[in-house]
Amino acid sequence: MNAATTPGLSAAEASDRLARDGPNELPATARRGVWGLLRDVVLEPMFLLLVACGAIYLALGDRHEALMLLGFVLVVIAITYVQKRRSEQSLEALRDLSSPRALVVRDGQSIRVAGRELVVGDIVLLAEGDRVPADLELVEASNLSIDESLLTGESAPVMKQAEGSASDANPDACRQAFSGTLVTQGTGRGIVTATGERSALGRIGASLQAISTDATPVQRETQRIVTWVAAIGLSLAAGLALAWGLTRGDWLHGLLAGLTLAMAILPEELPVVLTIFLGLGAWRLARERVLTRSMPAVELLGATTVLCVDKTGTLTMNRMAVRRLWAADAEQVLDGGASPDLPEALHPVLEYAVLASHRRAFDPMESAIGEAGQRQLAGTEHLHGNWALIDDYPLSPQLLAMSRVWQSPDRQDRLVAAKGAPEAVMDLCHLDAAQHAPIARQVEAMAREGLRVLAVARAIFPSGTLPDAQHDFDFEFIGLVALEDPVRPDVPAAIAECRAAGIRVVMITGDHPQTALSIGRQAGLIADGHAVTGPELDRLDDAGLAARLADTNVFCRVQPEQKLRLVQAFRARGDVVAMTGDGVNDAPALKAAHIGVAMGARGTDVAREAAALVLLNDDFASLVTAVRYGRRVFANLRKAIAFVVAVHLPIVGLSIVPLVLGWPMMLMPVHILFLQLIIDPACSIVFEAEPLEPEAMRAPPRRPDARLFDAQVLLRGFVQGSGLFGIVLVAYLVARSASGSDETARALAFTVLVVSSLALIHVNRTWTRRRDASRPWNAAFGWIASATCVLLVLVLWVPAISGLFMFTTPSASLLLIGAALCLGALAWFEATKWLLGQWAR
């Protein structure tokens, strides 16, 4: 089979085979079905308490109250079920997004598809860093080696060869690439022979988990608080039931009062709120083309103090183009079109740069060189489509240069083309100081313009056994190729936003120092400064490196293993580090960073698997967007918690006061349930949907150990809730004094509590002193407020319903007093917001 010319499967053939054989995936971990999820919802403590209250009403003979209470239970269960199901569906969508992808040939075109869509007969293209998506029979391989330790336990990579050229000793092993293994070097092309459970990985029952479900620090803190409050609440509820029964002799009503207090205190909203916030936060980031593979990343983003980013494709466009060619006696600037007057002296520079590149290029620089060669050398003898590739010497950390050996049809000797970092190529050519100096000056001049400079060399080698190393060729230096990768237009503004937010941006690149500094200046990363190079890093001890980190934002000529040391050094300083990477060797640094960020388009599968975030657009602005969302999630969680604390205080107070003062019960379980219809959606939907505060990206990052339940949040909730309790109590006393009716007093107090709770939501949507007129309206709050008001009108004015709530409709004058008290509550909330804002400063 000719792999170079085959068009691969058609889309229709692939679709038919996918329907026949099923997706290329292993059996997933069992997920909760409809009934399993419903069972988990029904068995939550809040609903068990409600069912117990319904049973007590039946025992008291209040059948209507029992049926209405149980009806409300069904409504709340439905709402909770829908919220949890939506969260699970979001996570399932994220799992699908984070599945490995594969580059395949279909209908003659190279396209990238989800790994699960591969079918037998597909042609898959492999490159360094890819995870093999299915079992393949190789039909083309160039210096291809694969790490098969996942299957064999052997750590040494296995060299692979194409069909027809494999070793006689073990031809099948050399020609096969197995699902789940990792390409560590070279490129290849293979035909899918087995997918899913039929692959080697499927046969041994291995399973990949795409999303970590470990508890985050905030989740652990929330669980601790919920457990603590629940224990106290249940103790108080038991005490209230006992005291009620002993003082009044009415044990059933005492038990009902105790259960009501337990419902009032139990903070069952908090775990739900946290789950929905993190799930919806990840979903919102996915809509911004940022895939969250680890939930702690959402939580930690707001605490990030250092962003370590690479240059190519993150700060720049990653669309390389050849802009300048240079030889000892000629130079030419290219504008992207064909240059008919390209000097003959420069033809070999471009000719051997093309020969030193892959014909099917994955690298943007090689693609640009190939395109320039086709434009500038068209119609000349310098393009060699009929030359045969004999061997190649790949780039290595020890030598930043690569060579490819070619055989011409009309000569015995082999021609060797090399390209790479200028200093590496000059070393290959063994240039003396006099020859070295003018080339180095030219490289520096090009680099100062922000150009990426490669040197080109050639050699002639007789037929026979090739040497083991590139240094054994007798290279002749030819010239320089300078490429441009412009800074992304949105990068300077994004870096300025990071600086205003107290976030430091550090560029780590393998480029020449002058190129790195030029890009740094264009991006607004530095005004004028210096760079630390990889060799300098090697000479620095840990103390010396720590001293240099304080004032260095550009690191260049950095090897992948040095990125790990930089990340660890920043962490040792107490920074919260986000690190971008795309290569196989970047994985340790991505794992070591607090937040590893992989490139979705150009990144390797192993980098994506090691990362917590994947930037599907590969640009820096997406990373800043992720940081902005991280701050938003944490800030809105604090608002939701302050609201939960504030709204529970009057509920708890109104449950205890009747026992202390000898009054009848002010709040029944049905009233608590009605309030839950406001509290749960407000916490999980209204506050989550709030945009970031305008000044949030002008404030320094929060401390990584900052707590959700800190003094500011708890004090805000306590002050607001205490004021609300006092206002509702005044409403009850005024109505009871004016009407002499407990039912009327209960109705007015409940009305003031409900309307004031809506005011509390509105005030806590933002903690700034003045509301921004341009701040978008929260549609979720509008719907919840409207629905609550409609239900409240039904409860007050429909006799059948008000009777179930044990209400008597208040008079118009009492309702006006209630409205005045609600305005007073609003004023109190705004006043406390201003006072606490002053205190926080």
Side-chain angles (χ1 to χ4, degrees):
M1 178 177 187
N2 190 337
T5 59
T6 180
L9 298 178
S10 68
E13 287 175 316
S15 179
D16 290 343
R17 295 187 184 189
L18 184 63
R20 182 192 68 195
D21 299 334
N24 176 38
E25 59 186 5
L26 299 173
T29 303
R31 298 171 187 169
R32 290 182 297 179
V34 172
W35 293 110
L37 184 60
L38 187 60
R39 182 186 65 248
D40 291 346
V41 172
V42 171
L43 292 179
E44 287 186 359
M46 174 61 71
F47 300 120
L48 295 179
L49 290 174
L50 289 170
V51 172
C53 291
I56 292 173
Y57 273 124
L58 287 175
L60 291 171
D62 295 332
R63 182 179 301 175
H64 292 296
E65 285 81 355
L67 292 176
M68 183 190 63
L69 184 64
L70 295 176
F72 268 116
V73 168
L74 294 177
V75 172
V76 178
I77 284 177
I79 292 174
T80 307
Y81 174 82
V82 169
Q83 288 178 331
K84 290 200 170 188
R85 183 59 186 156
R86 181 180 180 185
S87 179
E88 287 213 342
Q89 287 173 340
S90 296
L91 289 177
E92 289 172 12
L94 293 177
R95 290 189 185 99
D96 291 340
L97 277 174
S98 62
S99 65
R101 300 180 305 156
L103 187 63
V104 302
V105 178
R106 286 186 182 168
D107 294 316
Q109 301 293 321
S110 299
I111 61 171
R112 198 168 285 277
V113 301
R116 68 185 307 276
E117 297 178 9
L118 282 180
V119 296
V120 173
D122 261 328
I123 296 176
V124 177
L125 306 180
L126 300 175
E128 180 179 325
D130 287 348
R131 190 155 306 268
V132 179
D135 284 1
L136 309 176
E137 181 178 351
L138 295 171
V139 294
E140 185 178 307
S142 175
N143 202 37
L144 181 66
S145 64
I146 296 180
D147 177 0
E148 297 182 345
S149 58
L150 178 68
L151 298 175
T152 66
E154 296 293 335
S155 58
V158 179
M159 291 299 299
K160 298 291 183 177
Q161 293 178 302
E163 183 182 17
S165 60
S167 164
D168 291 336
N170 192 2
D172 291 337
C174 290
R175 295 172 186 167
Q176 295 289 324
F178 300 106
S179 175
T181 58
L182 176 68
V183 179
T184 59
Q185 181 176 293
T187 59
R189 178 185 284 245
I191 302 172
V192 175
T193 57
T195 61
E197 294 179 317
R198 296 170 292 279
S199 68
L201 188 60
R203 286 195 299 271
I204 64 173
S207 179
L208 298 177
Q209 299 298 323
I211 296 180
S212 172
T213 56
D214 294 338
T216 72
V218 166
Q219 285 174 319
R220 290 193 292 270
E221 181 188 1
T222 302
Q223 188 59 46
R224 206 164 45 243
I225 294 293
V226 168
T227 303
W228 180 72
V229 174
I232 293 176
L234 292 175
S235 300
L236 288 175
L240 177 63
L242 185 62
W244 192 291
L246 290 174
T247 58
R248 303 190 184 187
D250 188 349
W251 289 99
L252 278 178
H253 276 97
L255 185 57
L256 188 63
L259 291 173
T260 302
L261 179 60
M263 291 169 57
I265 295 178
L266 191 66
E268 91 291 343
E269 304 95 345
L270 294 181
V272 175
V273 167
L274 184 61
T275 301
I276 291 176
F277 264 68
L278 293 179
L280 290 181
W283 174 73
R284 290 183 189 279
L285 280 173
R287 293 179 63 189
E288 298 287 343
R289 308 285 292 162
V290 178
L291 172 63
T292 306
R293 301 189 68 251
S294 172
M295 288 305 168
V298 178
E299 173 188 317
L300 273 178
L301 279 169
T304 302
T305 59
V306 173
L307 298 179
C308 294
V309 300
D310 54 358
K311 177 185 73 68
T312 304
T314 304
L315 298 179
T316 62
M317 299 287 290
N318 196 27
R319 295 176 185 167
M320 302 295 290
V322 176
R323 286 290 175 256
R324 187 171 299 178
L325 299 174
W326 180 90
D329 52 357
E331 184 176 4
Q332 180 78 25
V333 176
L334 306 180
D335 60 2
S339 299
D341 56 344
L342 185 69
E344 184 65 32
L346 294 176
H347 284 190
V349 178
L350 194 51
E351 174 188 6
Y352 280 87
V354 171
L355 289 172
S357 304
H358 293 86
R359 280 177 170 165
R360 293 183 177 274
F362 293 95
D363 183 79
M365 288 192 297
E366 292 196 339
S367 297
I369 290 170
E371 292 169 4
Q374 293 297 323
R375 286 196 309 270
Q376 306 298 334
L377 302 178
T380 71
E381 72 279 9
H382 299 290
L383 292 177
H384 308 289
N386 60 342
W387 285 19
L389 178 67
I390 303 301
D391 203 350
D392 65 359
Y393 297 79
L395 198 75
S396 71
Q398 294 75 33
L399 182 64
L400 298 178
M402 62 177 292
S403 300
R404 291 169 69 79
V405 183
W406 297 90
Q407 180 72 62
S408 167
D410 57 356
R411 59 188 300 172
Q412 292 295 318
D413 293 337
R414 289 160 178 181
L415 293 101
V416 187
K419 76 174 190 309
E423 55 266 36
V425 174
M426 287 188 281
D427 180 51
L428 284 177
C429 296
H430 306 291
L431 301 183
D432 57 30
Q435 296 169 309
H436 186 284
I439 299 172
R441 285 195 298 271
Q442 185 61 38
V443 169
E444 187 172 352
M446 290 177 172
R448 278 197 298 268
E449 299 176 21
L451 300 176
R452 177 74 179 268
V453 185
L454 298 177
V456 182
R458 64 184 172 190
I460 298 175
F461 191 82
S463 298
T465 303
L466 292 171
D468 294 331
Q470 299 179 68
H471 270 289
D472 295 330
F473 292 114
D474 185 17
F475 279 110
E476 170 195 0
F477 189 88
I478 301 178
L480 302 172
V481 177
L483 302 100
E484 180 184 50
D485 184 11
V487 172
R488 291 180 180 270
D490 52 1
V491 162
I495 288 180
E497 185 177 6
C498 286
R499 186 176 293 111
I503 302 171
R504 183 177 171 193
V505 182
V506 175
M507 180 170 68
I508 302 176
T509 178
D511 272 348
H512 187 279
Q514 293 299 332
T515 304
L517 288 171
S518 173
I519 295 297
R521 283 189 289 269
Q522 293 177 48
L525 190 60
I526 54 173
D528 193 15
H530 61 280
V532 172
T533 65
E536 289 180 72
L537 279 178
D538 287 336
R539 293 193 295 270
L540 290 172
D541 59 15
D542 290 343
L545 177 57
R548 296 299 297 274
L549 290 181
D551 60 351
T552 303
N553 289 336
V554 175
F555 295 86
C556 54
R557 285 290 187 251
V558 172
Q559 301 295 333
E561 60 271 16
Q562 292 172 323
K563 292 183 178 182
L564 175 60
R565 187 183 176 202
L566 286 171
V567 168
Q568 292 171 332
F570 276 115
R571 289 192 61 152
R573 295 176 73 241
D575 285 306
V576 177
V577 184
M579 169 80 192
T580 67
D582 56 8
V584 178
N585 293 327
D586 289 335
L590 293 174
K591 279 288 189 184
H594 292 94
I595 305 168
V597 184
M599 302 296 110
R602 60 187 168 88
T604 57
D605 283 344
V606 71
R608 285 191 286 269
E609 289 172 11
L613 296 178
V614 179
L615 303 183
L616 301 181
N617 285 342
D618 285 12
D619 65 340
F620 180 74
S622 293
L623 183 54
V624 179
T625 297
V627 171
R628 194 181 301 119
Y629 269 80
R631 292 195 174 191
R632 168 182 169 171
V633 166
F634 194 81
N636 287 347
L637 268 173
R638 287 164 59 82
K639 295 175 186 176
I641 290 167
F643 169 74
V644 169
V645 172
V647 81
H648 274 77
L649 273 176
I651 300 175
V652 172
L654 295 176
S655 300
I656 295 176
V657 163
L659 174 65
V660 176
L661 299 180
W663 297 347
M665 288 180 63
M666 296 173 63
L667 288 181
M668 307 294 181
V670 68
H671 305 141
I672 305 292
L673 195 53
F674 187 99
L675 290 168
Q676 291 296 325
L677 293 175
I678 303 173
I679 295 172
D680 285 346
C683 294
S684 58
I685 299 175
V686 174
F687 287 114
E688 193 281 330
E690 278 298 309
L692 189 66
E693 299 282 4
E695 72 280 2
M697 287 300 284
R698 296 192 292 272
R702 65 175 174 89
R703 299 189 324 276
D705 60 345
R707 304 171 69 88
L708 279 174
F709 300 86
D710 65 4
Q712 183 186 5
V713 169
L714 296 178
L715 179 62
R716 185 182 295 268
F718 180 79
V719 172
Q720 290 179 335
S722 299
L724 178 57
F725 171 57
I727 290 170
V728 174
L729 199 56
V730 168
Y732 182 85
L733 293 172
V734 169
R736 194 179 191 203
S737 174
S739 66
S741 167
D742 289 328
E743 288 77 11
T744 302
R746 185 182 294 121
L748 186 65
F750 183 76
T751 301
V752 171
L753 178 57
V754 169
V755 176
S756 297
S757 295
L758 294 176
L760 182 63
I761 297 171
H762 176 68
V763 169
N764 279 322
R765 285 175 53 216
T766 174
W767 283 357
T768 56
R769 286 180 295 169
R770 287 185 297 178
R771 188 172 298 277
D772 186 358
S774 64
R775 189 178 182 86
W777 174 249
N778 190 317
F781 175 65
W783 282 108
I784 288 174
S786 300
T788 301
C789 291
V790 169
L791 290 174
L792 187 59
V793 168
L794 295 176
V795 166
L796 290 176
W797 275 280
V798 176
I801 300 177
S802 60
L804 294 174
F805 275 76
M806 298 184 183
F807 286 168
T808 299
T809 306
S811 63
S813 59
L814 284 178
L815 289 175
L816 286 175
I817 293 173
L821 289 172
C822 292
L823 290 176
L826 178 62
W828 171 254
F829 300 149
E830 290 287 359
T832 56
K833 179 167 72 174
W834 182 84
L835 290 171
L836 291 172
Q838 293 294 103
W839 174 73
R841 290 173 182 271

